[in-house]
Amino acid sequence: MNSGIFSAALAGFGAGLSLIVAIGAQNAFVLRQGARRQAVAAVVAICIASDAILIMCGVGGLGALVSAYPAALTVVGLAGGCFLIACGAVAARRALRPATAALTTAGDATASIRTAILVCLAMTWLNPHVYLDTVLLLGSVAAGHGSLRWAFGVGAMVASGVWFAGLGYGARLLAPVLSLPAAWRVLDVFVAGTMFVLGVVLLTQVA
């Protein structure tokens, strides 16, 4: 592989990780689904595919389009903020009902794969920071690599795939700990707190 292409791809890998590793609502959701072993493949695939689409849009130069329509980001921010707060309320309710939170091999029968997919899609695409960070910021950095910008983009996509696959499937290693309802209460409190804070921040920023 040409050293220039490799360097650009490596830079994209590092930049991609720097944007997605920070704990957020999406990562908290993937972690919980992975620990529950519920719809893990679907959730991980959605996160990876969504990131790939957004990265390609950014590298392709759609960042200018995002900047040109701030009103659209406001609408997305309002919807996303309300959605995250609602998800936080659900997680808080689970934390207050530890008897229903114990880890089981089959997972929660009341939560379907369809529900997990819809929540994951909403949590991913209703977050305006996704467009600002992945499309605008990452796209701008990629543009600095000129003709090697797509190698940079591929590196960022690989980083996304490694992170979400590791988070989703690695979370099952927590199964021995999460076999206790008290551990689930701690996780759900963390998830609820993360979603509440991010939801309020979104609503505050777009208000």
Side-chain angles (χ1 to χ4, degrees), residues 25 33 85 103 125 137 159 161:
Q33 292 299 118
I85 290 174
L103 180 68
W125 293 94
L137 179 58

Short mmCIF file of all heavy atoms in Angstrom, two decimals, residues 25 33 85 103 125 137 159 161:
data_model
loop_
_atom_site.label_atom_id
_atom_site.label_comp_id
_atom_site.label_asym_id
_atom_site.label_seq_id
_atom_site.Cartn_x
_atom_site.Cartn_y
_atom_site.Cartn_z
N ALA A 25 -25.11 8.89 24.28
CA ALA A 25 -26.34 8.11 24.34
C ALA A 25 -26.25 6.86 23.45
O ALA A 25 -26.68 5.77 23.83
CB ALA A 25 -27.52 8.98 23.91
N GLN A 33 -27.37 -2.99 25.13
CA GLN A 33 -27.86 -4.07 24.27
C GLN A 33 -26.87 -5.22 24.23
O GLN A 33 -27.25 -6.39 24.22
CB GLN A 33 -28.11 -3.54 22.84
CG GLN A 33 -29.25 -2.57 22.71
CD GLN A 33 -30.58 -3.17 23.12
OE1 GLN A 33 -31.22 -2.70 24.06
NE2 GLN A 33 -31.02 -4.19 22.41
N ILE A 85 -34.54 12.38 26.31
CA ILE A 85 -35.11 12.51 27.65
C ILE A 85 -36.13 11.40 27.90
O ILE A 85 -36.19 10.84 29.00
CB ILE A 85 -35.76 13.90 27.81
CG1 ILE A 85 -34.67 14.98 27.85
CG2 ILE A 85 -36.61 13.97 29.08
CD1 ILE A 85 -35.20 16.40 27.87
N LEU A 103 -30.16 -9.96 34.34
CA LEU A 103 -29.73 -10.45 33.04
C LEU A 103 -30.23 -11.87 32.80
O LEU A 103 -30.10 -12.74 33.64
CB LEU A 103 -28.19 -10.43 32.96
CG LEU A 103 -27.57 -10.92 31.66
CD1 LEU A 103 -27.90 -9.93 30.55
CD2 LEU A 103 -26.06 -11.06 31.81
N TRP A 125 -29.86 9.13 14.19
CA TRP A 125 -30.16 10.14 13.19
C TRP A 125 -30.86 11.38 13.73
O TRP A 125 -30.98 12.37 13.02
CB TRP A 125 -30.99 9.51 12.08
CG TRP A 125 -30.19 8.50 11.30
CD1 TRP A 125 -30.15 7.15 11.51
CD2 TRP A 125 -29.29 8.76 10.22
NE1 TRP A 125 -29.29 6.56 10.62
CE2 TRP A 125 -28.75 7.51 9.82
CE3 TRP A 125 -28.90 9.92 9.54
CZ2 TRP A 125 -27.83 7.40 8.78
CZ3 TRP A 125 -27.99 9.81 8.50
CH2 TRP A 125 -27.47 8.57 8.13
N LEU A 137 -17.30 18.34 10.52
CA LEU A 137 -15.93 18.35 11.05
C LEU A 137 -15.04 17.33 10.37
O LEU A 137 -13.95 17.64 9.88
CB LEU A 137 -15.96 18.11 12.56
CG LEU A 137 -14.61 18.07 13.27
CD1 LEU A 137 -13.86 19.37 13.03
CD2 LEU A 137 -14.79 17.82 14.76
N ALA A 159 -12.49 2.56 11.85
CA ALA A 159 -12.49 2.88 13.28
C ALA A 159 -13.89 2.70 13.86
O ALA A 159 -14.07 2.15 14.95
CB ALA A 159 -12.02 4.32 13.49
N GLY A 161 -16.28 0.76 12.70
CA GLY A 161 -16.60 -0.67 12.75
C GLY A 161 -15.94 -1.38 13.91
O GLY A 161 -16.58 -2.17 14.61
#
